[in-house]
Amino acid sequence: DQQVKQNSPSLSVQEGRISILNCDYTNSMFDYFLWYKKYPAEGPTFLISISSIKDKNEDGRFTVFLNKSAKHLSLHIVPSQPGDSAVYFCAASARSSNTGKLIFGQGTTLQVKP
Amino acid sequence: DAGVIQSPRHEVTEMGQEVTLRCKPISGHNSLFWYRQTMMRGLELLIYFNNNVPIDDSGMPEDRFSAKMPNASFSTLKIQPSEPRDSAVYFCASSLFGGVEAEAFFGQGTRLTVV
């Protein structure tokens, strides 16, 4: 039972354009969402997060949008750069239920072409 | 802090052998996770500890897998006996649950190959 789903295994965009990565979840108890970036042969690194009390959080070129009614979140990268090429994982947590457990999606491989 | 430290980085073993993966979390963190990365399921949570106590081990695939956290600075994931289908990259992560933000910090992973 995949509670966090990333339905697009891969995405390719041109440098300078917008990259949009999507994530869906099924558990309505999730109240905190995170995006991680992973380069080959390295561990995932935290990128940006959003609490369920917000619908948008921005950090430089990265913006995460949350649509609670649709149980959907997305990561926008503008403008995309070749160094953004990596695997992106979304993750969810139910902090209000007093657990720090993080559930991850399958990941989306982003390729930014120069 | 040096971050989450995992050892070994690579492990090649024969089917049927015991494998032990090790993890040192970030000092002061109270939560520890073991994940396995696969193409089909992405980062699959195997087990989650809070304050050294296993909270959720529902992701542990079989009885061949076991994990311990004898103290706040050390955890092991053991596979006995190992099988070729266990070949994957195993990650350990730690976080400070109850902190302002809940992000987990990952180690560099152990690439396990069972032949």
Side-chain angles (χ1 to χ4, degrees), chain A residues 2-113:
Chain A
Q2 197 78 17
Q3 296 186 63
V4 179
K5 298 179 183 180
Q6 294 175 255
N7 292 317
S8 298
S10 63
L11 175 68
S12 181
V13 301
Q14 207 64 35
E15 180 179 7
R17 305 296 291 270
I18 185 172
S19 295
I20 300 176
L21 297 101
N22 294 302
C23 179
D24 298 295
Y25 61 97
T26 58
N27 190 339
S28 58
M29 295 298 293
F30 289 147
D31 55 11
Y32 193 72
F33 304 89
L34 308 90
W35 284 94
Y36 281 76
K37 181 165 76 172
K38 184 185 179 304
Y39 292 118
E42 294 183 10
T45 55
F46 171 72
L47 193 56
I48 192 170
S49 62
I50 187 168
S51 165
S52 61
I53 61 173
K54 295 183 177 181
D55 54 18
K56 177 183 173 181
N57 188 27
E58 192 172 349
D59 183 2
R61 296 186 296 114
F62 302 91
T63 303
V64 57
F65 295 92
L66 175 62
N67 182 334
K68 289 187 291 293
S69 60
K71 294 191 176 65
H72 177 84
L73 64 155
S74 60
L75 174 68
H76 292 209
I77 307 173
V78 181
S80 302
Q81 299 173 354
D84 296 330
S85 298
V87 179
Y88 289 79
F89 291 96
C90 68
S93 175
R95 296 173 78 182
S96 58
S97 61
N98 204 32
T99 173
K101 188 166 76 170
L102 279 177
I103 304 297
F104 282 80
Q106 306 96 312
T108 297
T109 300
L110 172 66
Q111 182 185 28
V112 180
K113 297 179 179 179

Side-chain angles (χ1 to χ4, degrees), chain B residues 56-102:
Chain B
D56 187 340
D57 65 355
S58 58
M60 296 286 260
E62 301 168 33
D63 290 345
R64 299 184 297 106
F65 285 69
S66 63
K68 294 182 179 179
M69 192 165 186
N71 56 62
S73 59
F74 184 66
S75 177
T76 60
L77 177 67
K78 185 179 293 186
I79 308 173
Q80 165 64 17
S82 57
E83 296 182 3
R85 59 194 168 116
D86 301 330
S87 298
V89 181
Y90 291 80
F91 288 101
C92 174
S94 70
S95 71
L96 178 59
F97 177 63
V100 175
E101 294 176 330

Side-chain angles (χ1 to χ4, degrees), chain B residues 5-22:
Chain B
I5 300 173
Q6 290 186 246
S7 64
R9 288 294 309 275
H10 303 274
E11 176 79 39
V12 180
T13 190
E14 291 186 347
M15 182 175 63
Q17 295 297 306
E18 176 181 296
V19 175
T20 299
L21 311 181
R22 296 172 175 80

